[in-house]
């Protein structure tokens, strides 16, 4: 049984409501019907493990959106650490906006292992806002297998020392 979202139930906080962004996404996917609403997941200052968004959310066929928002004025305060994997992944048709995060994906012991900071693949769609990137073993942003990437107007990308992707729009 899915809980249908109402007008008063469209903002969730991490870690007060859900412990991590991954748990928030999993709950939205498995327990809720978005009913074409715009959902905002606000992520507090801190360091969180990698998260992966896979598949479309119920009730988001034509309308509605999901946004994971960290600290848009200082994204370095909300860190997604991919470790030996990728930082944030969209796949299998997932669609979400992400802004206000620092993303890294490098093993601090052996920089040769790690992943991409952002990875978008398998017909997924990612909308990036203001982001910061730490060390990534591979590209900070990787789009493959029919993945789609869009950026919001005035999006800024702050890069660490090893990145191969950088973009500033005005």
């Amino acid at each position: 049984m899915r809980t249908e979202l109402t007008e008063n139930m469209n903002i969730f906080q991490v870690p007060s409501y859900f412990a991590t962004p991954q748990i928030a996404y999993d709950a939205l996917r498995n327990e809720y019907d978005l009913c074409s609403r715009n959902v905002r997941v606000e992520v507090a200052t801190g360091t969180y493990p990698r998260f992966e968004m896979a598949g479309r959310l119920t009730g988001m066929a034509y309308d509605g959106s999901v946004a994971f928002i960290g600290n848009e004025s200082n994204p370095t305060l909300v860190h997604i650490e991919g470790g030996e994997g990728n930082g944030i992944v969209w796949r299998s048709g997932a669609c979400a906006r992400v802004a206000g995060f620092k993303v890294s994906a490098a093993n601090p012991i052996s920089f040769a292992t790690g992943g991409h900071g952002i990875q978008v693949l398998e017909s997924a769609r990612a909308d990036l806002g203001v982001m910061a990137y730490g060390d990534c073993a591979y590209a900070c942003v990787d789009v493959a297998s029919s993945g789609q990437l869009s950026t919001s107007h005035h999006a800024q990308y702050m890069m660490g020392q090893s990145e191969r992707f950088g973009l500033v729009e005005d």
Side-chain angles (χ1 to χ4, degrees), residues 140-159:
C140 281
V141 177
D142 177 57
V143 181
S145 302
S146 301
Q148 300 173 21
L149 175 70
S150 63
T151 59
S152 299
H153 190 63
H154 299 297
Q156 295 181 343
Y157 298 90
M158 297 174 270
M159 310 306 283

Side-chain angles (χ1 to χ4, degrees), residues 35-108:
C35 299
S36 298
R37 301 209 184 279
N38 297 321
V39 176
R40 181 180 173 101
V41 178
E42 298 175 345
V43 183
T45 296
T47 299
Y48 300 92
R50 68 181 300 276
F51 73 100
E52 182 172 305
M53 295 172 275
R56 294 199 179 275
L57 299 177
T58 300
M60 211 179 113
Y62 302 104
D63 293 323
S65 65
V66 173
F68 285 82
I69 306 298
N71 186 325
E72 291 182 282
S73 49
N74 188 355
T76 61
L77 296 177
V78 187
H79 189 186
I80 303 295
E81 174 53 63
E84 292 188 21
N86 299 310
I88 303 174
V89 178
W90 287 255
R91 68 178 183 83
S92 303
C95 179
R97 172 174 167 66
V98 171
F101 294 94
K102 175 183 179 183
V103 182
S104 60
N107 181 339

